[in-house]
Amino acid sequence: KDGIKVFNCWNRHYSSGGSLKGIIDALSPDLIHIQHESNLYKMQTDLLEHLYDVNAKIVSTLHTPDFNNKSVVEFASQCDLVMIHNEPLARSISGSLPASIQYIPHGVQEFTTTHQREESGVPMSIPLLFNYGFCSPTKGILELIQACKMLKQNRLLDSNGDILTTTHFEVVIYAGVKPGQESYFERCLAEANGVDGLTISNQVLSEETIDFWASICDYTVFPYSPSGHPFRINSTSGALMRVLHGGKPVIATDEGRLRDIIGGVHGFKSGKGSPESLAFAIYHAINQFNFNKRGYNAMCQSVSELASRFAWPRIGKTHEKAYQQLCSI
């Protein structure tokens, strides 16, 4: 595509460093940029051994860097440049590794779609919430379902003990099931049983389908729960950045991977792992959509501005500049 050649030469389940080295030797590149997660490569040692004598600059992006992990430090130390999405972390770690450290935000993908809301079967007057991603407890899918049940079953109370009611709203959840998470999905499915207006699927969405829902929904929802891994606060939600170009306000938990979303500006924030807190956020979001269109449109605009600031063409130029500076040394 667009003159870019792709060589399939790496398999994380096998010692594929030799195949990768063969491609690199044939191409003689000036620079090699390693994606995506160094600490997820099962054959990381094999990869490093084959790159030791490569006559090229080595760049890596650490999306969820855990610098308490010796293998991550070892990997970063073999690079000439390490890119990190978290600016405070980049500042704090700079100078502690042989490699140069640079903050570069996670990019937002731009997309276009010709689909219309009518294709969803949900009228424009009904608030539509969209959630997607892999099915796991850290994604907070169960809490999202429980929060919706609280609202739909009139179990959400204000400080005076009065019931908080909303108009009808629809929720679409796509929770792709990874091996080992089947029981969690079944639990989510059981919790969602009988909840009016809530649809849940274990389908892994295509890129086009993600574009569709991100464009025609009224809110995207990312109810992430504490992951149990402290270094997750240093990462950025790729799923969130993937749909920001749709320009829809976000309902999200106050979790490290979602730090780019500011409550009251880009959407509504709730507490981590709390269905009740999430239910309050959804309640206020629905009321805003129904009764404060000016506020809703202002949030849409703020999300679009955030997406424009982090758009991949702009972030790509930052990468290109970093490459040029590195190769000039």
Side-chain angles (χ1 to χ4, degrees), residues 16-52:
S16 304
S19 300
L20 179 63
K21 181 64 161 50
I23 292 290
I24 292 173
D25 287 342
L27 296 175
S28 296
D30 297 307
L31 180 143
I32 301 169
H33 191 152
I34 301 173
Q35 300 271 12
H36 174 273
E37 293 291 347
S38 67
N39 58 332
L40 292 183
Y41 289 141
K42 293 185 177 180
M43 299 296 173
Q44 177 178 288
T45 302
D46 177 68
L47 170 65
L48 288 174
E49 288 177 350
H50 283 90
L51 292 181
Y52 280 148

Side-chain angles (χ1 to χ4, degrees), residues 305-319:
E305 290 172 356
L306 180 66
S308 177
R309 189 161 76 247
F310 290 157
W312 265 120
R314 180 173 293 184
I315 301 302
K317 290 179 180 178
T318 307
H319 280 77

Side-chain angles (χ1 to χ4, degrees), residues 275-301:
E276 182 179 19
S277 178
L278 183 58
F280 274 111
I282 295 172
Y283 168 80
H284 288 295
I286 292 171
N287 280 351
Q288 182 202 56
F289 178 84
N290 287 328
F291 308 118
N292 182 11
K293 274 295 191 283
R294 179 178 294 181
Y296 174 80
N297 291 333
M299 278 191 177
C300 290
Q301 181 62 33

Side-chain angles (χ1 to χ4, degrees), residues 95-106:
S96 64
L97 294 172
S100 296
I101 306 294
Q102 183 171 349
Y103 160 68
I104 293 186
H106 193 298

Side-chain angles (χ1 to χ4, degrees), residues 149-213:
K149 285 182 70 172
M150 291 182 71
L151 284 168
K152 290 181 175 291
Q153 295 177 358
N154 295 323
R155 292 189 286 112
L156 185 66
L157 307 178
D158 64 14
S159 57
N160 296 319
D162 296 324
I163 297 174
L164 296 176
T165 60
T166 65
T167 59
H168 179 68
F169 64 96
E170 299 269 338
V171 185
V172 177
I173 301 172
Y174 285 94
V177 180
K178 286 183 175 181
Q181 297 295 344
E182 293 86 356
S183 61
Y184 179 75
F185 177 76
E186 291 300 322
R187 184 181 175 191
C188 292
L189 203 60
E191 192 75 26
N193 185 40
V195 179
D196 181 40
L198 191 151
T199 303
I200 180 171
S201 168
N202 62 358
Q203 179 184 352
V204 178
L205 297 184
S206 66
E207 296 298 310
E208 182 183 13
T209 308
I210 294 174
D211 293 349
F212 167 72
W213 287 108

Side-chain angles (χ1 to χ4, degrees), residues 127-146:
L128 174 60
L129 280 58
F130 168 52
N131 165 266
Y132 83 106
F134 286 113
C135 183
S136 73
T138 68
K139 302 298 184 182
I141 299 168
L142 184 63
E143 287 84 355
L144 172 58
I145 296 170
Q146 291 170 338

